Amino acid sequence: MLAFEDALDRLLQNVPKVQAERVELSSAFRRVLAQDLVAPADLPGFDYSAMDGYALHSDSLVGDGPYELPVLGESQTGHPAPALSANSACRIFTGAQIPAFADSIIMQEDAVRVADRIRFSSRPKPGAHIRHKGDDIRQGAVVLQPGTRLAPAQLALAASMDCSHLWVARSPVVTILSTGDELRYPGESAAPAQIPESVSVAISAMARSAGAHVRVSPFARDDRDLTIRLLADALRGTDLLITIGGASVGDHDVVRPALESLGVELDFWKVKIKPGKPIAV
């Protein structure tokens, strides 16, 4: 009889990988990435300002200050930046492209603007408040690896990589078959000694939360021939078949012999757990 941990390891070692499929980014939530996501370009794709303020070149500032520069031009988010005129500043907004020849940003709060001129006292260091091309991710870098479960952050990252589609593992098909004469569907009229079936409800929800496509078979009554027919139907087109009940040693436990009659190979039977000792894989 196997310990639970050994049985779990043995089960997982035999699970085959499903094929990959290409899906739209909007359909990839909670799916499992099937191949490396490689950055097609640098992120960010250009130098941009981290602050609202004024772009300038630090070499245009002479002495220890205070300084005064004319404001010529404007760099607005989503528009190409103008080139920086010599010995001047360019109005710039957060996220806007850095003008050619500018090497630093003076924050709006640190400057006083009068008409078309700004005055400020501190010399900015080269690179101040500039986010450079490729600071976050370099072109060719692997940003997500196969096996990654795609949560909101990973989907946003893929979108920032300009990906409209992703290669993900196909959703495995899980079929659930409950067995036993005592079962009825919740809400059905109750016959004597019958109970509402509940385990498949929990397993269906667990499988769906793991990303599976779930099929639920009709109940298999404690009849060998009927169980064989339902098992044969359930095995068609499924990646994983989960049976509930019928695998123990009672006179009416017919699941194991029914599976074996269909050519299913038994890997192990009985695990040191309570309840569930007669689990068969």
Side-chain angles (χ1 to χ4, degrees):
M1 196 183 304
L2 291 172
F4 171 77
E5 293 78 9
D6 295 336
L8 182 60
D9 287 343
R10 191 158 159 179
L11 187 155
L12 293 176
Q13 287 171 7
N14 292 328
V15 175
K17 289 185 178 180
V18 294
Q19 294 175 327
E21 62 180 1
R22 188 170 179 263
V23 301
E24 292 184 357
L25 189 63
S26 59
S27 300
F29 177 55
R30 301 206 71 194
R31 302 293 293 273
V32 176
L33 193 65
Q35 61 180 220
D36 286 338
L37 179 60
V38 179
D42 289 336
L43 184 70
F46 54 88
D47 295 349
Y48 72 90
S49 177
M51 295 288 178
D52 292 333
Y54 301 89
L56 53 88
H57 196 289
S58 55
D59 285 350
S60 64
L61 306 177
V62 179
D64 296 328
Y67 308 103
E68 183 173 324
L69 291 174
V71 178
L72 302 177
E74 178 179 284
S75 182
Q76 181 181 345
T77 306
H79 298 271
L84 181 69
S85 300
N87 300 315
S88 70
C90 177
R91 182 72 166 117
I92 196 167
F93 300 95
T94 302
Q97 187 178 32
I98 301 296
F101 312 121
D103 73 349
S104 55
I105 304 295
I106 189 83
M107 289 195 302
Q108 180 172 305
E109 296 90 334
D110 294 337
V112 175
R113 182 163 180 171
V114 178
D116 290 332
R117 303 184 71 82
I118 56 168
R119 296 172 184 156
F120 52 98
S121 57
S122 298
R123 176 191 292 266
K125 295 181 180 179
H129 307 304
I130 293 177
R131 292 181 176 165
H132 294 283
K133 178 181 179 181
D135 269 355
D136 295 331
I137 298 171
R138 290 291 185 184
Q139 182 179 8
V142 176
V143 295
L144 291 174
Q145 296 180 328
T148 300
R149 179 78 68 173
L150 296 169
Q154 287 75 31
L155 293 176
L157 178 59
S160 72
M161 295 289 96
D162 210 15
C163 295
S164 61
H165 292 74
L166 291 173
W167 282 95
V168 298
R170 174 179 60 79
S171 294
V173 178
V174 174
T175 304
I176 302 171
L177 188 151
S178 301
T179 68
D181 285 350
E182 73 278 15
L183 301 180
R184 63 174 176 83
Y185 293 101
E188 272 191 335
S189 298
Q194 282 195 318
I195 59 172
E197 197 282 321
S198 59
V199 180
S200 70
V201 177
I203 293 178
S204 295
M206 292 161 67
R208 289 190 179 96
S209 70
H213 174 74
V214 177
R215 307 186 310 186
V216 180
S217 169
F219 297 151
R221 302 303 176 187
D222 294 328
D223 176 273
R224 179 186 171 96
D225 292 338
L226 174 61
T227 300
I228 289 173
R229 291 198 300 272
L230 289 174
L231 285 171
D233 289 341
L235 285 167
R236 293 188 185 98
T238 198
D239 296 297
L240 175 65
L241 171 61
I242 299 174
T243 62
I244 302 169
S248 191
V249 295
D251 293 345
H252 302 288
D253 289 322
V254 298
V255 170
R256 281 196 307 123
L259 285 169
E260 289 168 345
S261 74
L262 292 169
V264 174
E265 180 183 344
L266 183 67
D267 185 28
F268 60 84
W269 179 49
K270 294 186 179 180
V271 177
K272 293 179 182 177
I273 54 175
K274 288 185 179 181
K277 172 184 170 182
I279 186 172
V281 172

